[in-house]
């Protein structure tokens, strides 16, 4: 009787531990909103949400366009996510959004849709098309070697167009 | 000398393990895209992305509106995330999107913006305003007790308005 109860208990425990849905293709690692660009940052999910945060907190927004199967995106991600200075600045002074899919807003692709691409948006909701990288044909692209330029562009973005303070 | 090297090595190992950016307020748990609604599902990040997937895979889209500080959202989330039948159907037959922030698309709020709210969208991009819950004043709201109705509504959504097959 006691043994029977123990077996029953064990079965109940097992079914609650192993009873969760598992896809046929095997267990998946849950997707994060950071997608590797900074696990400690608080990421907006959508552009609408990011704009709302930027406006209400009076902070500039940084939008990162990237793709999972793009090696240039991966290289930039590694450098950006491991640079504590950038991570701290993003966390404290920016609203952040990373997207793998273009929005319908054409202002976010001033010279076309490509990845990786970094666009700053002022809390007054103006896209800072003036803050550019090193490449004249892809003005908002950055490579790992451009990380210093990216930092100084972040400083530029922090000087708001029209401060509400 | 050897001891010195060991200490140096230990420091290097420690700095690589502990050298990552940590916010002043303490370490954060990375946000997931699932936000607890089903860690094994592959979630679209934005409505644009979800519509693209629905169209290209010819699967209906389920959009879940919810809020972190809404107890009704929490209760529904618990039931929905622990129901293996629903999780399996969502994984295999649907495109899924959960949002904590409204989109600009008015079609997603046929009778107002409230949470929790579940809207189905056909791959032909028609919002299925005909698939409703039990409450006449909040037609797209569901409570934990409505889980059977939700399942039959999912079956309804699977019968596409205009099958391309």
């Amino acid at each position: 009787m006691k043994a029977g109860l123990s077996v029953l208990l064990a079965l109940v425990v097992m079914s609650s531990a192993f009873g969760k849905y598992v896809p046929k293709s095997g267990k998946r690692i849950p997707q994060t909103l950071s997608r590797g660009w900074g696990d400690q940052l608080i990421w907006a999910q959508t552009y609408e949400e990011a704009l709302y945060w930027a406006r209400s907190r009076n902070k500039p927004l940084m939008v990162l366009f990237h793709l999972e199967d793009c090696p240039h995106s991966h290289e930039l991600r590694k450098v950006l996510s491991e640079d504590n200075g950038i991570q701290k600045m993003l966390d404290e002074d920016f609203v952040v959004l990373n997207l793998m899919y273009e929005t319908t807003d054409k202002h976010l692709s001033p010279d076309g849709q490509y990845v990786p691409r970094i666009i700053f948006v002022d809390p007054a909701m103006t896209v800072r098309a003036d803050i550019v990288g090193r490449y004249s044909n892809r003005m908002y692209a950055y490579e790992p070697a451009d990380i210093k330029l990216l930092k100084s562009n972040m400083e530029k973005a922090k000087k708001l167009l029209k401060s509400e303070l």
Side-chain angles (χ1 to χ4, degrees), chain A residues 116-128:
Chain A
R117 182 168 103 246
I118 298 179
I119 308 275
F120 294 97
V121 185
D122 205 61
M125 301 186 63
T126 309
V127 170
R128 296 290 304 266

Side-chain angles (χ1 to χ4, degrees), chain A residues 77-147:
Chain A
R77 178 169 70 183
K78 186 171 159 51
V79 173
L80 193 143
S81 65
E82 291 178 356
D83 188 309
N84 285 1
I86 286 187
Q87 291 288 315
K88 182 179 158 72
M89 221 200 296
L90 287 177
D91 186 28
E92 295 176 357
D93 306 325
F94 284 81
V95 170
V96 286
L97 171 69
N98 75 80
L99 289 173
M100 304 203 298
Y101 198 87
E102 296 288 340
T103 71
T104 49
D105 194 323
K106 294 257 191 305
H107 296 103
L108 288 176
S109 45
D111 65 346
Q113 300 182 340
Y114 51 86
V115 293
R117 182 168 103 246
I118 298 179
I119 308 275
F120 294 97
V121 185
D122 205 61
M125 301 186 63
T126 309
V127 170
R128 296 290 304 266
D130 59 310
I131 301 182
V132 298
R134 273 202 306 135
Y135 311 97
S136 57
N137 55 337
R138 295 188 161 200
M139 298 215 293
Y140 307 95
Y142 293 84
E143 292 196 343
D146 305 330
I147 205 82

Side-chain angles (χ1 to χ4, degrees), chain A residues 9-72:
Chain A
L9 194 69
L11 280 172
V12 169
V13 169
M14 273 171 68
S15 72
S16 71
F18 298 103
K20 282 213 165 180
Y21 172 70
V22 176
K24 272 181 196 160
S25 51
K27 215 179 167 193
R28 302 191 187 112
I29 297 164
Q31 305 150 278
T32 59
L33 257 182
S34 78
R35 302 205 191 251
W37 291 88
D39 279 346
Q40 291 299 304
L41 306 183
I42 294 168
W43 294 88
Q45 183 179 347
T46 64
Y47 187 45
E48 289 98 328
E49 189 176 3
L51 282 180
Y52 175 77
W53 289 359
R55 216 167 30 188
S56 58
R57 297 171 194 173
N58 203 34
K59 286 182 179 181
L61 161 63
M62 183 170 119
V63 188
L64 269 161
F65 289 92
H66 65 107
L67 281 172
E68 277 305 328
D69 51 5
C70 162
H72 298 288

Side-chain angles (χ1 to χ4, degrees), chain A residues 145-156:
Chain A
D146 305 330
I147 205 82
K148 267 196 181 168
L149 174 59
L150 179 60
K151 265 184 210 177
S152 79
N153 280 350
M154 287 168 66
E155 292 292 349
K156 227 184 261 181

